[in-house]
Amino acid sequence: MARPEPIHAHALENLRFIRDAMSRASEFTAVPGWGGILMGISALVTAPIAGPPDDTARWMLIWIADAAVAATIALVAIAIKSTRSGAPLSKAAPALRFALAFLPPLVAGMILTPVFAMMGLVARLPACWLLLYGTAVATGGAFSVRVVPLMGICFMVLGTIAFAVPAAWGHWLMALGFGGLHIVFGTIIARSYGG
């Protein structure tokens, strides 16, 4: 007759399984890789159309229109990815935590945009937008997979650089950030985290 196995023999394996399951349940995994790639392509198209920042409403409105396109792409891609994964956004606490951390820096950017415009600092908006978007991604990414906060930090670094270089480089830095970083990290997310 076989001796019963003591309960502690598998306790570590069981604890590891429980910890991993809880970690996955607390992460917002619907960050869209393919959506990020499309957002990046949109920014790469917008940069040459907008040209260098020139303190005009035209330049600012072109980029605001691209931001609206990118936000639409992101929302649709998030909805599709969450539906495919079987985790509806309406019942996902991780999605709510992600949104509550992601939105405040974006709201700050929306408030600062007209302030920069009224003060004649439209040419410095690329730095502001990159820095605050990076902050949004880094803070929201704290509730997502590991690569998301890293992407946010890269945007923040690029935004900081944008404040230090000539303002005329702004559209290239916007292309590099909103275009290049979205494409690079979107590809990583699509390949490693299911689209």
Side-chain angles (χ1 to χ4, degrees):
M1 186 156 122
R3 290 179 62 177
E5 239 180 291
I7 195 165
H8 68 277
H10 295 289
L12 286 178
E13 285 180 40
N14 292 338
L15 286 173
R16 190 174 301 119
F17 173 80
I18 292 167
R19 186 181 66 226
D20 289 345
M22 289 178 71
S23 174
R24 284 190 304 274
S26 68
E27 288 181 342
F28 177 65
T29 57
V31 173
W34 295 114
I37 293 168
L38 291 175
M39 292 164 61
I41 292 169
S42 172
L44 291 178
V45 169
T46 300
I49 293 170
D54 57 7
D55 281 330
T56 64
R58 175 199 160 277
W59 182 89
M60 189 172 61
L61 292 174
I62 290 171
W63 278 106
I64 290 173
D66 181 62
V69 169
T72 302
I73 291 169
L75 292 172
V76 169
I78 286 170
I80 290 169
K81 188 171 180 180
S82 69
T83 301
R84 282 187 187 158
S85 70
L89 293 174
S90 61
K91 297 181 182 179
L96 179 61
R97 285 193 299 272
F98 181 90
L100 289 174
F102 184 80
L103 291 176
L106 293 185
V107 171
M110 286 184 241
I111 293 167
L112 287 174
T113 295
V115 171
F116 273 51
M118 287 185 297
M119 297 183 75
L121 296 172
V122 170
R124 286 301 178 181
L125 277 172
C128 177
W129 288 343
L130 288 163
L131 184 61
L132 288 173
Y133 181 75
T135 304
V137 173
T139 56
F143 301 101
S144 188
V145 294
R146 287 184 193 162
V147 71
V148 176
L150 178 60
M151 178 174 74
I153 291 167
C154 289
F155 270 98
M156 292 173 71
V157 168
L158 196 56
T160 302
I161 291 169
F163 274 119
V165 300
W169 298 7
H171 68 302
W172 298 121
L173 295 170
M174 296 277 282
L176 181 60
F178 292 111
L181 289 177
H182 271 140
I183 290 171
V184 168
F185 283 95
T187 302
I188 293 168
I189 291 167
R191 288 183 177 172
S192 303
Y193 300 100

